[in-house]
Amino acid sequence: MRYFLGWLILGILGFTLLTACNHHTFQNISSLPKQPAAECRMVKHTMGETCVPINPQRVVTLSVSTLGNTLALGVKPIGATNEVQIDNNSLTYLQEKTEGIKLLGISRPDLEATLLLKPDVIIGLDWFKPIYPLLSQIAPTVLDKSDYANWQKHLSFVTEVLGKQKTEKALWQHYHQRMEQLQQALGDRYQNKKISFIYIGRNQINIDAKNSYAGSIIRDAHLQRPAPQNVDAPYGAFPISLEELKKADGDILFVTTFSKSGNEFLKNKQQEPLWKKLKAVRNNQVYYVDFMSWAASNMLGTDAVIDDLFKYLVHTP
């Protein structure tokens, strides 16, 4: 099972049809006069090497993880896609920061709208390989490997593209400072307790492994996971059946859903005897958190997850 945004990649496979659907756009792009080359530097990415502007001013991002990292680095894109705006979920931790950014599409970008924005660089993930030739004719385009189990690498990639190494260093200093504050506030009260995190959607219960985005934050807080969750997994997660629900047990259970069907599925499972037998359920220590924050896979979302750890583990009696 892929990481909890991984199922969205299946939709990206539809991009193989996108070139045909955007033939007119391709002709429009191809007919544009070439702009004089500005001063630039070479960046290696999944499609090769591309020369990007030294100080890009009109950035377009093609994933939420890219958008969050770009904003965290102090650059506000002029346009972005949002592959996780599903069933009226909103990017709660980004809301105030995205005002004025043009939404270019859910999952796949509207190429004509992107063209009209006249970006000087486009940054995305390798989901977009099928339309890379079109994107690269609009502006220098760089695509990073989509690796949700190593979100830190994508931050470094966006940092390199934007030339914001000093800002990235400050972001990590802030992150580690908050972690130290959290650890001090927690003290030793969770020394012998296990922290479980599951997410639910589309009739499936999924365990968030230790190498996931949220799993890495929980690990950095020096909190322990239940043995079945204290493992690495492809894309940072794996599914379980209702009969395997014991793998979700812990002293504390964080739960999130990412769709209306997931909400209904969870509501039904909460009536099951196996759910009611979970230790966290019996002790009333189940906490429901925002999917968008706990699935952010970018530096900007870390504060939201750490805030929740403070809220439920420090400030909750």
Side-chain angles (χ1 to χ4, degrees):
M1 176 66 184
R2 298 182 174 186
Y3 187 69
F4 47 95
L5 293 182
W7 59 271
L8 289 163
I9 298 176
L10 296 176
I12 302 299
L13 296 178
F15 279 142
T16 55
L17 302 175
L18 193 59
T19 301
C21 295
N22 288 279
H23 178 67
H24 180 64
T25 301
F26 181 83
Q27 290 180 322
N28 287 344
I29 296 169
S30 299
S31 64
L32 288 177
K34 297 298 182 183
Q35 298 296 319
E39 186 180 4
C40 61
R41 64 179 180 277
M42 297 301 295
V43 172
K44 292 183 179 180
H45 58 107
T46 58
M47 303 302 291
E49 288 186 320
T50 297
C51 205
V52 302
I54 296 295
N55 184 28
Q57 301 295 310
R58 300 182 63 79
V59 178
V60 163
T61 61
L62 300 183
S63 78
V64 171
S65 58
T66 308
L67 171 62
N69 284 329
T70 301
L71 289 168
L73 290 165
V75 176
K76 190 169 186 177
I78 56 172
T81 60
N82 174 9
E83 78 273 12
V84 294
Q85 191 171 359
I86 304 166
D87 291 349
N88 296 320
N89 275 324
S90 59
L91 297 175
T92 50
Y93 69 100
L94 286 175
Q95 279 180 345
E96 296 179 357
K97 297 176 176 62
T98 57
E99 185 177 353
I101 298 176
K102 182 174 179 59
L103 179 63
L104 295 173
I106 303 300
S107 293
R108 66 185 188 184
D110 181 322
L111 294 178
E112 292 193 37
T114 304
L115 175 64
L116 289 173
L117 286 180
K118 299 180 180 179
D120 53 19
V121 68
I122 299 172
I123 313 173
L125 296 172
D126 59 5
W127 304 340
F128 301 95
K129 285 183 179 180
I131 59 169
Y132 178 77
L134 290 173
L135 293 169
S136 61
Q137 288 194 60
I138 295 174
T141 300
V142 289
L143 303 181
D144 191 24
K145 181 180 179 181
S146 52
D147 185 0
Y148 283 115
N150 199 339
W151 63 273
Q152 301 92 334
K153 280 189 176 181
H154 188 53
L155 171 62
S156 295
F157 177 79
V158 177
T159 296
E160 181 185 5
V161 176
L162 298 177
K164 295 289 184 178
Q165 285 79 4
K166 288 184 179 179
T167 307
E168 183 190 16
K169 184 178 180 180
L171 290 174
W172 281 116
Q173 289 173 340
H174 171 76
Y175 175 83
H176 292 306
Q177 182 181 41
R178 291 216 67 197
M179 276 299 170
E180 289 176 5
Q181 293 170 345
L182 176 60
Q183 291 165 22
Q184 290 175 3
L186 290 171
D188 60 1
R189 74 175 83 176
Y190 292 96
Q191 186 174 358
N192 299 313
K193 294 184 181 295
K194 309 297 185 193
I195 310 300
S196 173
F197 175 47
I198 64 173
Y199 65 93
I200 297 171
R202 299 194 176 185
N203 302 322
Q204 182 68 63
I205 303 171
N206 301 283
I207 295 289
D208 203 68
K210 72 175 184 178
N211 65 322
S212 69
Y213 171 72
S216 69
I217 298 173
I218 293 171
R219 182 188 65 240
D220 288 346
H222 295 172
L223 294 166
Q224 300 181 62
R225 304 292 300 278
Q229 301 178 22
N230 195 34
V231 297
D232 290 338
Y235 299 94
F238 57 92
I240 60 171
S241 65
L242 181 62
E243 291 71 26
E244 297 175 298
L245 194 58
K246 189 174 181 180
K247 292 181 179 180
D249 208 358
D251 298 283
I252 306 292
L253 173 59
F254 288 102
V255 181
T256 191
T257 62
F258 57 78
S259 65
K260 289 181 179 178
S261 60
N263 292 336
E264 290 299 317
F265 184 73
L266 173 61
K267 185 177 179 181
N268 291 333
K269 295 310 165 189
Q270 286 172 328
Q271 308 307 313
E272 298 278 355
L274 288 175
W275 177 270
K276 294 179 180 179
K277 288 181 181 179
L278 294 177
K279 182 191 299 185
V281 174
R282 289 186 282 109
N283 293 336
N284 196 32
Q285 290 191 304
V286 180
Y287 304 117
Y288 299 92
V289 293
D290 175 51
F291 169 75
M292 300 303 180
S293 301
W294 284 62
S297 295
N298 64 65
M299 179 57 86
L300 204 61
T302 59
D303 272 329
V305 179
I306 294 171
D307 286 345
D308 280 340
L309 294 177
F310 267 104
K311 176 180 180 180
Y312 295 113
L313 301 185
V314 176
H315 302 310
T316 299

